[in-house]
Amino acid sequence: RKEVEQDPGPFNVPEGATVAFNCTYSNSASQSFFWYRQDCRKEPKLLMSVYSSGNEDGRFTAQLNRASQYISLLIRDSKLSDSATYLCVVKAGNTGKLIFGQGTTLQVKP
Amino acid sequence: DGGITQSPKYLFRKEGQNVTLSCEQNLNHDAMYWYRQDPGQGLRLIYYSQIVNDFQKGDIAEGYSVSREKKESFPLTVTSAQKNPTAFYLCASSIDRRTGYTDEQFFGPGTRLTVL
């Protein structure tokens, strides 16, 4: 089993749609959680950290469920510019290293 | 402008040749990392360094070597022992996790290495 698993997609949605991505992790000792965004052939950039209480940044909402070991990202009112690959990232509890999921690809269509 | 630079952006090499990828940061970050990304896969950690003159192997260190002689620089050498070196190589840095305020890693623009 992979340490961090995501549905690779692609998710094809129309502009204005709401889309949700899930991610599961295997190490219950994991401490920190993130969503990174990666545009085609570019480097990943931090989108948002994921806190236990859940957090929101504009159209983006991230949630963490420690009991079930999954993280979610909700994007409301999708824009064409949201088209990218979204990487779920978990900080390993005992090493401090970041573990990256394979990414979920989102295509927002006009 | 503060940031991380990697050079070159594209690199072509013949099989059997060693090649060194450059990574420089002026963010005053203590920790630096090298990742490899293959199509449809997540990033995999090759090596990381938390302080100058110290580094540790990541998950796929075989066939690679690094040095950390300066805080700003963390070059990666892809040796001829690496069986499948063609990939997208990403360098990142972060504030030292032992004392820092964030786990965020900042990435350079990457180097696409193609071995012919």
Side-chain angles (χ1 to χ4, degrees):
Chain A
R1 183 185 172 187
K2 291 181 182 177
E3 291 184 79
V4 179
E5 289 200 72
Q6 297 180 249
D7 180 347
F11 285 61
N12 295 300
V13 303
E15 268 187 294
T18 295
V19 61
F21 307 137
N22 289 328
C23 163
T24 57
Y25 60 95
S26 60
N27 186 348
S28 60
S30 299
Q31 296 178 342
S32 305
F33 310 89
F34 312 90
W35 284 101
Y36 275 71
R37 171 189 170 132
Q38 186 174 23
D39 292 301
C40 188
R41 303 180 73 81
K42 299 284 189 181
E43 74 273 24
K45 294 183 179 178
L46 181 67
L47 178 66
M48 58 198 305
S49 301
V50 187
Y51 303 120
S52 296
S53 55
N55 48 301
E56 188 175 307
D57 184 2
R59 298 181 293 108
F60 298 83
T61 301
Q63 291 194 314
L64 167 65
N65 185 321
R66 284 190 184 271
S68 301
Q69 294 180 210
Y70 82 77
I71 308 147
S72 65
L73 177 67
L74 182 77
I75 305 175
R76 291 181 298 278
D77 188 22
S78 299
K79 311 291 185 192
L80 295 176
S81 57
D82 293 334
S83 297
T85 296
Y86 292 83
L87 304 172
C88 175
V89 183
V90 174
K91 178 184 173 186
N94 54 348
T95 67
K97 295 187 297 184
L98 296 185
I99 310 298
F100 288 78
Q102 68 180 105
T104 297
T105 299
L106 172 65
Q107 288 283 350
V108 181
K109 305 289 188 183
Chain B
D1 273 326
I4 303 177
T5 57
Q6 291 185 245
S7 61
K9 189 172 182 179
Y10 298 96
L11 188 57
F12 297 89
R13 278 295 181 268
K14 291 183 179 179
E15 196 172 337
Q17 289 183 329
N18 290 358
V19 61
T20 297
L21 310 184
S22 166
C23 178
E24 305 277 333
Q25 55 97 2
N26 60 4
L27 299 167
N28 199 32
H29 286 172
D30 293 300
M32 296 186 75
Y33 312 82
W34 273 106
Y35 294 91
R36 167 185 174 138
Q37 188 175 34
D38 294 283
Q41 294 194 36
L43 279 67
R44 292 184 290 168
L45 183 64
I46 303 172
Y47 267 98
Y48 64 104
S49 167
Q50 292 176 290
I51 55 173
V52 175
N53 292 323
D54 186 50
F55 49 82
Q56 285 80 40
K57 292 182 179 180
D59 301 316
I60 55 166
E62 186 175 350
Y64 299 98
S65 65
V66 294
S67 62
R68 188 86 187 278
E69 296 176 2
K70 298 186 299 181
K71 186 175 184 177
E72 303 79 20
S73 179
F74 191 38
L76 173 74
T77 297
V78 184
T79 75
S80 57
Q82 168 50 232
K83 296 287 186 274
N84 186 18
T86 295
F88 186 37
Y89 289 88
L90 288 156
C91 179
S93 70
S94 69
I95 296 171
D96 186 4
R97 68 178 175 88
R98 294 168 296 175
T99 61
Y101 309 99
T102 177
D103 298 313
E104 179 181 359
Q105 291 187 10
F106 296 82
F107 286 84
T111 292
R112 292 195 179 273
L113 173 64
T114 301
V115 175
L116 306 171

